[in-house]
């Protein structure tokens, strides 16, 4: 099964992934955590609330998932953080991994991907187009708008001095559709 957990910044996507990893591990299952090398904010996988873990695979854009077939074969589940930074080909390989067709040696392994659905301009990330087309299930990890109590659906880049807004550590905030369109 290929699942996509998506949300805006500050919606606890990575925290959700770390909780899922803990749940799998507590039942004796082997979890493989993948993160893209493009995510340089920390050496491992880190949530904004301070929980973290090491990544088993730090995947470069030039690498194929086939390079990690042995690691996947030793795993019961693969969890991918910041999936929007993977390439279209890597997303296609995740799909193949879920049905045992990554290469001649890999078994079928469930894959759960966590990341942003849209860029700050409101369009889909290139790799996310492929993931959304091929995912068996999609789950929103929701949060509220930084300006009001409405449901946040976009991540907006904001300046340091913007009044009344608490910036996330990467300069983005979650916003509802109204504030996304109104503050352009």
């Amino acid at each position: 099964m290929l699942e996509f957990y998506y949300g805006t910044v500050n919606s606890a996507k990575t925290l959700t992934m770390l909780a899922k990893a803990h749940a799998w591990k507590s039942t004796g299952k082997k979890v493989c955590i993948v993160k893209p090398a493009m995510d340089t904010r920390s050496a491992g996988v880190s949530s904004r609330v301070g929980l973290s873990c090491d990544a088993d695979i730090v995947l470069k854009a030039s690498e194929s998932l086939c390079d990690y077939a042995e690691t996947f074969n030793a795993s019961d589940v693969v969890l991918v953080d910041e999936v929007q930074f993977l390439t279209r080909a890597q997303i296609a390989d995740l799909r193949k991994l879920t049905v045992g067709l990554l290469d001649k040696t890999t078994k079928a392994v469930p894959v759960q991907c966590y990341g942003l659905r849209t860029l700050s301009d409101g369009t889909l990330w290139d790799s996310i187009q492929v993931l959304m087309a091929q995912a068996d299930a999609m789950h929103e990890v929701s949060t509220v708008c930084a300006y009001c109590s409405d449901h946040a659906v976009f991540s907006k880049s904001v300046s340091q001095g913007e009044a009344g807004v608490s910036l996330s550590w990467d300069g983005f905030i979650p916003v509802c559709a109204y504030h996304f369109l109104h503050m352009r």
Side-chain angles (χ1 to χ4, degrees):
M1 178 169 232
L2 179 61
E3 295 180 89
F4 179 34
Y5 291 81
Y6 65 91
T8 64
V9 296
N10 291 336
S11 64
K13 296 175 302 297
T14 299
L15 182 62
T16 301
M17 186 192 82
L18 292 170
K20 296 264 187 177
H22 173 75
W24 279 86
K25 289 176 183 177
S26 70
T27 62
K29 303 291 190 284
K30 173 70 173 132
V31 176
C32 175
I33 306 246
V34 178
K35 84 172 235 174
M38 183 179 273
D39 178 14
T40 59
R41 295 172 297 176
S42 66
V45 172
S46 213
S47 74
R48 296 177 202 278
V49 299
L51 296 178
S52 63
C53 73
D54 292 333
D56 299 296
I57 297 171
V58 178
L59 191 63
K60 296 177 184 157
S62 60
E63 290 181 302
S64 166
L65 270 68
C66 294
D67 299 336
Y68 299 97
E70 287 181 32
T71 303
F72 295 136
N73 278 333
S75 303
D76 294 305
V77 66
V78 173
L79 305 180
V80 183
D81 194 38
E82 301 294 349
V83 69
Q84 71 274 2
F85 293 132
L86 297 187
T87 66
R88 292 174 71 96
Q90 290 167 334
I91 298 292
D93 281 348
L94 289 173
R95 171 81 272 182
K96 290 175 187 173
L97 178 60
T98 66
V99 293
L101 295 174
L102 180 59
D103 70 6
K104 294 177 185 174
T105 65
T106 52
K107 67 179 185 178
V109 180
V111 175
Q112 296 177 354
C113 301
Y114 297 80
L116 298 171
R117 181 179 56 146
T118 59
L119 292 154
S120 61
D121 67 359
T123 60
L124 293 173
W125 290 80
D126 193 43
S127 59
I128 296 306
Q129 292 177 35
V130 177
L131 180 56
M132 290 180 72
Q134 298 201 14
D136 295 307
M138 293 185 285
H139 314 276
E140 183 177 16
V141 182
S142 65
T143 193
V144 296
C145 177
Y147 296 104
C148 67
S149 298
D150 286 348
H151 177 77
V153 291
F154 299 102
S155 299
K156 178 183 179 295
S157 177
V158 292
S159 62
Q160 192 67 28
E162 197 160 326
V165 175
S166 176
L167 286 181
S168 69
W169 55 277
D170 54 4
F172 290 85
I173 57 169
V175 294
C176 65
Y178 173 81
H179 285 103
F180 175 76
L181 296 170
H182 177 69
M183 305 189 85
R184 287 183 126 185

